[in-house]
Amino acid sequence: MFTNYDLINYFGPALLIASFVLLVISIQSNKKDTSELSKAINHFKATSLLFGVLIIILYLSLPSTPSLKSFGYPEDISAIKKDTDILRLLQEYNKAIVRTTEVLQWFLFLFVWWFLTTLFGVAKAFKTVK
């Protein structure tokens, strides 16, 4: 869906907006007079929801699968008559591979960040409860 645009042009602002929303939610949560465990659970819910939204944006950024499946492959050598046909095919495949790699790198970054922040928050809350 978003494969024709540079990934950072729309994912960067989405990441900043998600970070700002998470900051606002955590400030509001700290103002409430609730237990540390309740705050940690609310933080887990908020980060999981924002993580899901960002993952959906990344999913929509993946290239369509026909460019990497047999649909895009030439059936035989006669289908490629010119060097320009080979160049076009290689460029399409390269763009799909590069975009998939970018999306995977951002997914890994988000997953590690989400996992570590929520794990740290919940562990800290359990430690204060005991």
Side-chain angles (χ1 to χ4, degrees):
M1 180 174 196
F2 300 127
T3 56
N4 294 334
Y5 305 106
D6 192 20
L7 185 63
I8 198 70
N9 287 343
Y10 58 88
F11 190 69
L15 191 60
L16 290 175
I17 290 169
S19 299
F20 179 72
V21 167
L22 188 60
L23 179 69
V24 168
I25 290 172
S26 67
I27 288 172
Q28 288 178 347
S29 175
N30 287 337
K31 288 182 180 179
K32 292 180 183 178
D33 190 25
T34 58
S35 68
E36 287 296 319
L37 186 59
S38 177
K39 288 179 186 178
I41 290 172
N42 288 338
H43 178 73
F44 174 75
K45 289 178 188 177
T47 54
S48 296
L49 180 67
L50 291 172
F51 177 71
V53 169
L54 292 173
I55 293 303
I56 289 172
I57 293 171
L58 286 177
Y59 176 74
L60 294 174
S61 301
L62 285 172
S64 62
T65 54
S67 63
L68 294 176
K69 285 189 176 180
S70 62
F71 175 76
Y73 292 136
E75 294 295 324
D76 57 4
I77 200 72
S78 65
I80 304 173
K81 295 185 174 35
K82 300 181 223 168
D83 289 340
T84 56
D85 294 336
I86 295 173
L87 179 64
R88 184 185 50 80
L89 283 172
L90 290 174
Q91 286 175 340
E92 287 178 20
Y93 298 154
N94 190 34
K95 287 178 186 176
I97 291 169
V98 167
R99 177 52 66 101
T100 303
T101 305
E102 287 177 340
V103 168
L104 180 63
Q105 288 172 342
W106 277 107
F107 172 77
L108 290 174
F109 172 76
L110 285 176
F111 181 76
V112 168
W113 187 256
W114 167 79
F115 183 73
L116 289 178
T117 58
T118 55
L119 181 67
F120 179 72
V122 171
K124 182 180 169 186
F126 275 121
K127 185 177 178 182
T128 58
V129 167
K130 293 184 178 186

